Amino acid sequence: MTISSLALGPASPALGRRCQCGSGGGRTWRPLGASSLCMSHGLEWHRRVAARVVAPAASLSAVEEIDQGDAVDRIASLSQVASVLGTQWGDEGKGKLVDVLARNFDVVARCQGGANAGHTIYNAEGKKFALHLVPSGILNEETLCVIGNGVVVHLPGLFQEIDGLESNGISCKGRILVSDRAHLLFDFHQVVDGLREAELANSFIGTTKRGIGPCYSSKVIRNGVRVCDLKHMDTFAQKLDTLLRDAASRFEGFKYSVDMLNKEVERYKRFAERLEPFIADTIHVINESILQKKKILVEGGQATMLDIDFGTYPFVTSSNPSAGGICTGLGIAPRCLGDIIGVVKAYTTRVGSGPFPTEILGKDGDLLRVTGMEFGTTTGRPRRCGWLDIVALKYCCQLNGFSSLNLTKLDVLSELSEIKLGVSYMQNDGEKVSSLPADLRLLEQIQVEYEVLPGWQSDISSIRNYNDLPESARRYVERIEELVGVPIHYIGVGPGRDAIIFK
């Protein structure tokens, strides 16, 4: 890969954001900031925004050590329906931001994916929780957590998470709703996932083997079993029999018997009884919440570079972790969407196979992995590490229309004397590649052009005010903003709940 140091360019022009007033002025744009005006509503919008900005957050215990004025401004001024999505290949730290923001929202909802998501969060005492299906808002007692229709649900895993939370004093009763339209992920889906990976041999995808792909496959070929089917156990056995026979006919290593079916049916009769209080028409719940002016925070799983349509296919997940998945996975109309926050690490990681243009190989990559504790929450696998890929990040910003970014793990770079940003792609003949190519053969041969910025080589983990960051750290943050054209409003400087800077 070619490495060069480029001159820093001028800052991007001021950005705008669509008015969220819900009027016919939906195509009106306004500058970002608390004093913004909606061109349709003038001073009325100004007053409403100002009122939201100065209103105190429901609870700021998680950010006690942060500049509280900045925290209240950033959190309270978010739109009624806001979303947090990943911008890379997952593991960016979405759960932490959701946990911090959730105390100012009534509902936190998952819209896609399954237990392949691994969101690590910490409570006020510093205790660590690794969540896979339960939304990260669960630590906030007043928050309702919704698992939407776009999620595939492994009930044994869900109950294990709930039991773990309850055993640590976190009440889940009446606080978790599961969509009656969500598809059930069975143990056999996980078996099939492993058989499929083995079948691919050296071309394996590198999945979590949590059965996500096979479950979505069942959904798409229309023989899947949904949560609402648990209410009709008289036909449940027949539907499950169809699924199991299909798997046995496809994979020689999958052994199916009537005894297996009977045991699974009896097991799911017990599951159905336990799940019954959690089942709801979440599309109705979400849309009624919107009408009642309740605030909804959407928590994405995985990330855009793993999107089944927009990611590095076929080395992707089986759902849409991009903005479109919010609408299809929760039943929210596009016009209701407001702020969409993209979460991006200060460097890049990915788990599993697939192209990775800015990957750092050898001891330097190992150093970043150890410093950043880059091992998967879901699988424990070591993550591949590399420099921040600006080309891929711009691509994700274009697809999702992010209103702001959360730059995480800035503290991990603190020991480096210089830091690189992958700012452009070139083919071997020197021809520039303007965007992320769909052709993986081309992507694997890409030469990356880098900007080299000075490191700050000092501990920033205790800093809570942006202006207190070393000049080189601020320069790094602001250069990313200039290159992608989206403001960075949140900066992570450590794993703890309070280790966040509001910019």
Side-chain angles (χ1 to χ4, degrees):
M1 294 184 180
T2 305
I3 300 177
S4 65
S5 181
L6 305 179
L8 301 184
S12 299
L15 301 172
R17 184 169 67 199
R18 191 181 301 274
C19 171
Q20 300 303 326
C21 61
S23 73
R27 294 188 179 275
T28 303
W29 292 82
R30 59 186 177 86
L32 292 166
S35 60
S36 307
L37 298 182
C38 165
M39 300 307 291
S40 300
H41 289 76
L43 289 175
E44 178 189 353
W45 177 257
H46 177 265
R47 293 191 191 100
R48 279 159 50 198
V49 171
R52 287 173 64 193
V53 168
V54 300
S59 169
L60 284 174
S61 59
V63 288
E64 285 174 346
E65 298 178 40
I66 300 171
D67 185 313
Q68 296 217 1
D70 290 342
V72 172
D73 286 1
R74 285 287 175 229
I75 298 175
S77 62
L78 288 172
S79 56
Q80 184 191 0
V81 180
S83 308
V84 174
L85 303 179
T87 66
Q88 296 163 308
W89 282 285
D91 308 310
E92 301 93 350
K94 298 177 289 293
K96 175 181 171 180
L97 182 64
V98 170
D99 177 43
V100 170
L101 298 180
R103 52 199 6 88
N104 213 61
F105 285 81
D106 302 293
V107 179
V108 175
R110 279 279 308 274
C111 60
Q112 44 70 227
N116 54 338
H119 294 174
T120 302
I121 56 177
Y122 296 80
N123 66 8
E125 289 74 44
K127 183 173 179 58
K128 178 180 175 180
F129 294 85
L131 303 176
H132 302 280
L133 276 167
V134 176
S136 298
I138 194 66
L139 296 189
N140 299 284
E141 295 178 359
E142 303 302 318
T143 302
L144 175 67
C145 293
V146 171
I147 298 173
N149 60 277
V151 179
V152 290
V153 183
H154 182 240
L155 290 183
L158 175 61
F159 292 143
Q160 185 178 4
E161 277 189 55
I162 290 172
D163 291 341
L165 289 164
E166 295 273 6
S167 68
N168 281 282
I170 298 166
S171 174
C172 297
K173 186 177 181 180
R175 297 189 51 225
I176 298 175
L177 296 181
V178 180
S179 172
D180 53 3
R181 290 176 168 85
H183 278 248
L184 292 172
L185 190 155
F186 295 94
D187 288 352
F188 90 87
H189 282 126
Q190 298 177 341
V191 175
V192 166
D193 206 353
L195 292 172
R196 172 65 174 158
E197 284 284 270
E199 188 178 76
L200 290 171
N202 293 332
S203 299
F204 69 94
I205 303 299
T207 75
T208 60
K209 297 186 177 66
R210 293 297 181 101
I212 309 300
C215 186
Y216 276 114
S217 295
S218 297
K219 176 178 179 176
V220 172
I221 64 173
R222 299 182 296 279
N223 68 358
V225 179
R226 300 190 295 171
V227 168
C228 60
D229 292 321
L230 293 171
K231 296 181 178 181
H232 307 287
M233 294 306 293
D234 55 329
T235 57
F236 181 85
Q238 181 183 344
K239 291 181 178 182
L240 184 56
D241 177 62
T242 299
L243 270 179
L244 292 169
R245 288 185 184 278
D246 183 64
S249 66
R250 171 65 180 82
F251 294 97
E252 187 177 338
F254 184 78
K255 305 302 180 184
Y256 172 55
S257 66
V258 174
D259 183 55
M260 176 194 293
L261 173 65
N262 291 336
K263 286 181 179 179
E264 196 73 342
V265 169
E266 289 304 312
R267 187 180 180 215
Y268 270 81
K269 283 180 180 177
R270 298 192 298 272
F271 288 163
E273 184 177 348
R274 182 174 181 186
L275 189 68
E276 199 275 332
F278 297 92
I279 301 174
D281 179 353
T282 59
I283 295 173
H284 177 73
V285 170
I286 289 286
N287 283 282
E288 281 296 301
S289 296
I290 292 172
L291 289 174
Q292 293 166 14
K293 306 300 180 185
K294 292 182 179 179
K295 296 194 73 174
I296 298 165
L297 183 62
V298 181
E299 176 182 13
Q302 296 83 49
T304 302
M305 293 298 289
L306 291 173
D307 189 286
I308 187 70
D309 289 299
F310 303 118
T312 48
Y313 187 90
F315 301 99
V316 292
T317 192
S318 304
S319 62
N320 291 109
S322 53
I326 300 169
C327 300
T328 58
L330 287 171
I332 297 177
R335 65 173 296 178
C336 294
L337 300 184
D339 292 299
I340 303 178
I341 304 168
V343 184
V344 53
K345 262 180 197 164
Y347 50 99
T348 307
T349 64
R350 81 170 297 174
V351 173
S353 304
F356 187 171
T358 62
E359 184 170 13
I360 305 171
L361 301 175
K363 62 180 182 180
D364 290 339
D366 294 338
L367 177 63
L368 201 57
R369 183 180 304 109
V370 172
T371 306
M373 297 184 289
E374 295 296 350
F375 300 90
T377 303
T378 298
T379 64
R381 292 181 294 177
R383 297 171 185 145
R384 299 157 62 191
C385 298
W387 301 114
L388 182 57
D389 189 332
I390 295 296
V391 179
L393 181 56
K394 286 177 70 174
Y395 170 76
C396 293
C397 290
Q398 289 172 341
L399 286 171
N400 294 289
F402 294 128
S403 52
S404 64
L405 296 175
N406 171 202
L407 185 70
T408 64
K409 290 197 165 186
L410 185 64
D411 57 302
V412 173
L413 303 179
S414 292
E415 295 182 13
L416 302 179
S417 60
E418 62 178 31
I419 303 166
K420 297 169 186 173
L421 289 172
V423 295
S424 61
Y425 290 171
M426 291 188 301
Q427 297 188 51
N428 289 331
D429 60 6
E431 183 180 350
K432 289 254 183 171
V433 178
S434 59
S435 185
L436 192 85
D439 185 345
L440 289 200
R441 184 175 297 183
L442 172 59
L443 190 57
E444 287 167 349
Q445 296 172 356
I446 279 292
Q447 301 294 309
V448 180
E449 195 165 27
Y450 289 92
E451 275 188 12
V452 182
L453 281 74
W456 45 94
Q457 294 187 292
S458 61
D459 182 12
I460 62 171
S461 61
S462 62
I463 294 175
R464 299 293 180 266
N465 187 294
Y466 180 71
N467 291 327
D468 292 336
L469 284 173
E471 182 181 355
S472 294
R474 284 184 276 118
R475 183 182 179 190
Y476 184 70
V477 171
E478 290 160 17
R479 185 58 182 145
I480 295 170
E481 291 179 314
E482 291 168 1
L483 289 167
V484 302
V486 179
I488 294 171
H489 284 173
Y490 316 88
I491 301 169
V493 291
R497 243 180 169 188
D498 72 310
I500 187 168
I501 295 171
F502 290 80
K503 177 175 173 290

